[in-house]
Amino acid sequence: MEHKKYYTLMMDALDGELVAKQQAEMESHLRACPACRQEWQAIMTIDTLFRQAPMLSPAADFAQRTV
């Protein structure tokens, strides 16, 4: 159950919503917990892939065709 707290902190960190104290707590935990560190690395890899992917726009007539 303790790890759920850090998973939540990881999600908030991705959104840039951590205050300095929370960031320090998360980083301290990641140094001590291999499982959470691995999870964070996987999350960061996925986040990087999404940020690097080109943005796609729907076809001009998408709304008309789906209504």
Side-chain angles (χ1 to χ4, degrees), residues 23-42:
Q23 183 73 34
E25 180 182 358
M26 184 185 85
E27 289 173 2
S28 176
H29 179 77
L30 292 175
R31 283 190 297 274
C33 180
C36 286
R37 186 171 48 249
Q38 183 178 9
E39 182 71 17
W40 178 242
Q41 290 170 344

Side-chain angles (χ1 to χ4, degrees), residues 18-25:
L18 293 184
V19 296
K21 182 180 178 182
Q22 291 171 313
Q23 183 73 34
E25 180 182 358

